[in-house]
Amino acid sequence: DPQRDELALSLAWVSAAESFADLAGLTNHGALAAGASRASVRARNAIRPTYYDERRGKWVSGHLRSGAPVEGLTGSAIALLHHGMLGEPERRALLDELESPSYRAPWGIRSTASDSPLYDPDSYARGSVWAIGTADAIMAFYEAGRPATATALWRDLAGWFAIDAPGRMHEVMAGNAFVPQRESVPDQTWSAASFVSSAVRGMLGLQLDAVKRAIRFAPQLPPEWDSVRVRRL
């Protein structure tokens, strides 16, 4: 009974359709742009009915082919934050939950909470700490105006560069100890890149809009920093 669908992937599809519509519009493919926009809206409107369990008042991460719910994947919760799918009380409650010790290890965010019956600290997707997942959480906390938590998590990730050669970052650490998880790729480019992008887009608040020819610079710096310099943007 393998998994049939997954919330984070469904949300990624919504974003992909929106982005395709933008590209099609910029390149004068009006019919394609309109079709992609309609598809994206339909998919976005289907997210809550598909993945929110009204009876229990909680989100599920996906479904098996039998229809049984899949729960407990941290990445799906963080994806909800990035896609603006939550009302303010829901968003605040989820951020509070991600700050709790069951999710937050001293070296990042666990892929499944430690108090979940599914938690396994040495499982690739059910308890290990992902660098890229932690970077996604860092972005979510900066976007929510919680820079103290975001910066603390960012500094937690900095310690990963001391595990092997300088500049190399592992894919995943164990959920209960600061050691590489048994299936971890020892040097993963997008793990290291996510550390950089979470600083550029999160801590520095830099966003570039090529169409409008605009740059947004809204830094949320650690209070002990008295200056910052950004070069070669």
Side-chain angles (χ1 to χ4, degrees), residues 71-169:
E71 298 180 356
L73 299 180
T74 308
S76 293
I78 295 172
L80 284 169
L81 291 168
H82 285 311
H83 285 79
M85 302 296 297
L86 304 176
E88 185 53 35
E90 276 187 306
R91 186 174 77 122
R92 193 163 52 245
L94 179 52
L95 287 164
D96 290 344
E97 196 174 1
L98 290 173
E99 285 188 272
S100 70
S102 60
Y103 277 96
R104 188 176 170 193
W107 49 93
I109 296 288
R110 294 183 179 94
S111 52
T112 297
S114 60
D115 56 4
S116 167
L118 300 172
Y119 172 68
D120 177 354
D122 202 34
S123 170
Y124 187 67
R126 289 288 183 180
S128 59
V129 176
W130 290 60
I132 195 165
T134 299
D136 278 345
I138 291 168
M139 287 297 304
F141 280 111
Y142 277 125
E143 290 165 0
R146 299 194 186 193
T149 300
T151 302
L153 276 171
W154 185 75
R155 285 175 162 151
D156 291 344
L157 273 188
W160 290 44
F161 289 109
I163 292 292
D164 273 321
R168 292 177 57 164
M169 180 171 276

